[in-house]
Amino acid sequence: MPQTIAVLDFGSQYTQVIARRIRECEVYSKIYHYTTSAEELKRDGVIGIILSGGPSSVFAKNAPIPDEKLFQLGVPVLGICYGIQLMGRLLGGAVAKSTHREYGHGTLSITKPGRLFAKLPRKLRVWNSHGDKLTEMPPGFSAIGTTDNSPYAVIEDRKRDFYGIQFHPEVFHTERGVDVIRNFLLNVCGAKQDWTTKDYINHSVAEIRKIVGKSRVILGLSGGVDSSVAAALIHKAIGKQLTCVFVDNGLLRKGEREAVEKLYGDHFHIDLRVVDASKLFLRRLKGVDEPEQKRKIIGRTFVAVFEKSLKSIGHADFLAQGTLYPDVIESVAIAGNPAALIKSHHNVGGLPERMKLKLLEPLRELFKDEVRAVGAALGLPKEVVWRQPFPGPGLGVRVLGEITKDKLEVLREADAILVEEMKKTGLYWKVWQSFCVFLPVKSVGVVGDERNYSWVIAVRVVESIDAMTADWARLPYDLLQHISNRITNEVREVSRVVLDISSKPPATIEWE
Ligand code: XMP
């Protein structure tokens, strides 16, 4: 077993982010409920403890209080935000109740770097989000960092190796925050860096085997990054006990189904069931042109097809999903009461409960970039690991208005040309998404001496960090000309190519 850092969870939405930062430092950590006894932590051989932040006030009636004996274990403790207030309250300092939360950026001045701020600048921009604050240090502590609002922004007791930080070192907005955490792990706790992606995979494989035993697992494969990595990981753990179902809804891009069959069937030798339901989807979508209605039909049909396919596969105990931590956090209710401490294990975007399957979500603690690293280490190709996002309803929301087989065919050909050219220049990997949209508009063109009257294709290429906002990518004119030429020459039914130069907001990335 690797050395373990315990993260005691007091209900902060950032607890998993702390764990993620620890992984970034290649150290193993385990999240424990705040009620975990010091004895259990000792049994687990933890070499350091981090007290997370939390939504509560130390003055609240049901304030979450840990086992005080953890301060007698002889291991270093780092209290973050609520954690420092707890240290203040439990170790003999004083905490003042605040009427308003201090929220946002502040400047931290380090007066004495010590081991925690070794090799870091004396001034750092930090992120605050707290109500109460420490007004008197517990005996044995001294202040080593201040902010405008607090003379005790960072405190240390060098003798016992106890540290308290008022701000959040784990969040992205805190400058060099990960280095502060690394210093705690390596300089203070003396942790070895023995937790790499490979170790993570091995540990995960063992866990999956333990959970699943001899049972059968079903996974709905979409071809996207998350379900692909989940499939590869679970397959490594349990091989033929895993069955993957890939539903061809007739709204896939060119060659997509074949690529899935080749990779998972031929390469990984996964038990892959491809269900061709394209006719059913198209039949149900006939005559429907309203975007939300289309989405609903596609969603409902998917569930029905998937459910039916499960029946034909036979008994299974687990349904695996490629749920990531950012999906989980959206489903966790954060409120100022102790109930917020018990994270709800929602079936995120899952299938109806009547299927009576247990959920297996091996990626639920990971963030997207970590999932990509796991995928790459499992041997998934770049095309899968760095695949652009693709909406669940597929080309269904990229053929505007009513969907027909012919329109889909035209869009597929045009889109394949765009993707091919984007990959050739390497820009495909740099932008957020690049795709074509079929516009149900006819426009006049000339081919040779003949006048033709055919469809219009829009090219949509955007840059984004998180899809919440996006800007259209400034592609080189020569590349755009080449793409347009190829589409109008090679796809007979297209007479015109237009470029979408709208940002989000006010436009959305997809057209429907
Ligand atoms: P919009 O169009 O809202 O898209 O700016 C933001 C991101 O979400 C993707 N998207 C979807 N993904 N089901 C999905 O799974 C959907 O119905 C859906 N609609 C949009 C879109 O591709 C972009 O990355």
Side-chain angles (χ1 to χ4, degrees), residues 365-479:
E365 285 174 7
L366 301 190
F367 291 76
K368 195 80 172 192
D369 56 330
E370 296 181 294
V371 170
R372 292 196 213 275
V374 169
L378 286 168
L380 287 171
K382 185 179 173 188
E383 268 69 21
V384 173
V385 171
W386 287 99
R387 210 178 99 124
Q388 293 177 357
F390 185 58
L395 299 185
V397 290
R398 293 184 182 169
V399 167
L400 305 194
E402 187 187 358
I403 302 165
T404 66
K405 210 167 165 228
D406 292 347
K407 290 177 187 172
L408 283 167
E409 209 38 56
V410 171
L411 176 59
R412 251 181 219 123
E413 293 303 319
D415 190 69
I417 292 170
L418 172 70
V419 170
E420 190 186 320
E421 292 302 327
M422 289 294 290
K423 282 188 178 162
K424 258 194 223 159
T425 58
L427 285 167
Y428 177 89
W429 314 107
K430 298 200 174 116
V431 300
W432 176 262
Q433 273 171 300
S434 45
F435 56 88
C436 286
V437 182
F438 180 97
L439 308 190
V441 185
K442 284 207 163 175
S443 126
V444 175
V446 276
V447 180
D449 290 334
E450 271 182 49
R451 177 181 182 279
N452 84 353
Y453 185 54
S454 31
W455 300 112
V456 180
I457 286 288
V459 167
R460 180 71 162 149
V461 184
V462 295
E463 310 208 17
S464 175
I465 303 285
D466 54 10
M468 301 295 285
T469 61
D471 196 9
W472 57 282
R474 275 49 166 184
L475 296 183
Y477 279 174
D478 288 349
L479 173 63

Side-chain angles (χ1 to χ4, degrees), residues 11 19 30 73 116 134 177 230 238 252 271 333 341-342 352 366 393 436 481:
K30 194 170 156 191
L73 287 175
L116 200 59
L134 192 69
I238 57 166
L252 305 172
D271 176 17
L341 297 166
I342 302 145
L366 301 190
C436 286
Q481 183 197 20

